[in-house]
Amino acid sequence: QKEVEQNSGPLSVPEGAIASLNCTYSDRGSQSFFWYRQYSGKSPELIMSIYSNGDKEDGRFTAQLNKASQYVSLLIRDSQPSDSATYLCAVNVSPGNQFYFGTGTSLTVIP
Amino acid sequence: SQTIHQWPATLVQPVGSPLSLECTVEGTSNPNLYWYRQAAGRGLQLLFYSVGIGQISSEVPQNLSASRPQDRQFILSSKKLLLSDSGFYLCAWSYREWVTDTQYFGPGTRLTVL
C-alpha cells in the first residue's frame, strides 16, 4: 500500500517566521511530489511541485526533496496570516497512475 | 488555459434519494479525471479515476458510480444516498507535463445527506 504521512498539526508560527511542513512516503519508485494548499471550505490549490532531489524555490515557498530518505518538505518564509490553511502533500508514483495524498497539516500564522 | 467546472456547488439531499454530480474540463483533451471525497476534517479519499471515455476505475464506494460519456465530462452518481455519503466532492484532472502528471482540482460540491 502506498502511503503518504504528514503530521496533522496544528502547527502555529508567528507572522514573519519560517513554517516547515514535512511529508514522508513509502513507495521508493515515486517520481513526482506536490504540495497543495487548502483553505477551509475550499478545494486544494497546487502551490509547488518537485521531481528532483534538492531544493526548488518559488517566491516565499521552497520545496525540498530527499529521495534516499523518502521525504519531501515545504518551507514558507516570511509567513503571513493568509498562509493559514491545511497543506496537503501528494505523490505520483508514475505518469498515468494515481496520486496519493497525505491527510494534511494545519498551519496557523499568528499576527 | 484550462479550467474545470463542477456543479452544483452545494446540495442537500434526503437519505435514499438519487445523486448526480457533474464535472467538465475545458481547454485540454484526453485528460485523466478523478473523483475524490473529503469528509469533514478528513483527508482525500479517491473514489474513481478515468483515463479515457468509458474507462472507469473504482477504488472504494459501494453505492456510488461514475461515468465518462464524453472526453471532458465526468459524472458521479448514486441511486440511493446514505448518511455517510455526506462530504465535499472534488473532481480533478491531470495532464502530462514533461515526464510527469500534474493534478488540478475543481471548486468542489458540498453534499449534505439528511
Side-chain angles (χ1 to χ4, degrees):
Chain A
Q1 182 177 358
K2 298 176 177 57
E3 294 182 348
V4 180
E5 301 285 342
Q6 294 181 254
N7 289 330
S8 62
L11 173 66
S12 295
V13 300
E15 184 175 355
I18 296 175
S20 178
L21 306 165
N22 299 312
C23 171
T24 60
Y25 59 94
S26 62
D27 192 323
R28 281 196 175 274
S30 301
Q31 297 185 9
S32 308
F33 308 85
F34 306 87
W35 284 100
Y36 291 82
R37 176 176 62 199
Q38 186 175 22
Y39 292 115
S40 180
K42 302 295 186 182
S43 65
E45 170 193 14
L46 178 68
I47 54 173
M48 288 287 290
S49 59
I50 187 167
Y51 319 120
S52 304
N53 278 327
D55 295 359
K56 179 181 178 183
E57 187 175 319
D58 184 0
R60 294 186 297 111
F61 298 97
T62 299
Q64 299 175 318
L65 175 61
N66 185 322
K67 289 188 177 181
S69 300
Q70 295 177 243
Y71 85 81
V72 56
S73 62
L74 179 70
L75 300 178
I76 306 175
R77 292 182 302 281
D78 188 24
S79 295
Q80 302 297 309
S82 59
D83 295 326
S84 298
T86 296
Y87 289 80
L88 302 173
C89 174
V91 172
N92 184 235
V93 173
S94 62
N97 284 296
Q98 298 178 29
F99 290 74
Y100 296 89
F101 285 82
T103 54
T105 298
S106 175
L107 171 67
T108 300
V109 180
I110 303 168
Chain B
S1 64
Q2 301 86 5
T3 49
I4 179 169
H5 303 278
Q6 284 187 249
W7 61 90
T10 60
L11 192 59
V12 180
Q13 293 284 93
V15 170
S17 64
L19 174 73
S20 180
L21 302 180
E22 189 165 342
C23 169
T24 58
V25 181
E26 296 178 355
T28 187
S29 59
N30 197 30
N32 289 349
L33 296 172
Y34 309 79
W35 279 112
Y36 292 89
R37 178 171 60 203
Q38 189 175 39
R42 305 288 296 277
L44 293 172
Q45 179 187 27
L46 178 64
L47 302 175
F48 301 94
Y49 70 98
S50 171
V51 298
I53 295 175
Q55 301 178 63
I56 310 292
S57 295
S58 173
E59 289 299 305
V60 177
Q62 305 300 311
N63 69 319
L64 295 174
S65 62
S67 62
R68 184 170 178 174
Q70 300 180 42
D71 180 44
R72 292 170 291 171
Q73 184 184 31
F74 206 20
I75 296 172
L76 182 69
S77 303
S78 174
K79 293 182 179 178
K80 289 186 178 182
L81 284 168
L82 307 173
L83 285 174
S84 58
D85 290 325
S86 293
F88 192 34
Y89 286 80
L90 292 158
C91 181
W93 70 281
S94 69
Y95 77 105
R96 185 68 48 82
E97 184 177 38
W98 296 100
V99 295
T100 187
D101 288 355
T102 303
Q103 188 173 77
Y104 297 90
F105 287 87
T109 295
R110 190 160 304 280
L111 171 66
T112 303
V113 182
L114 301 175

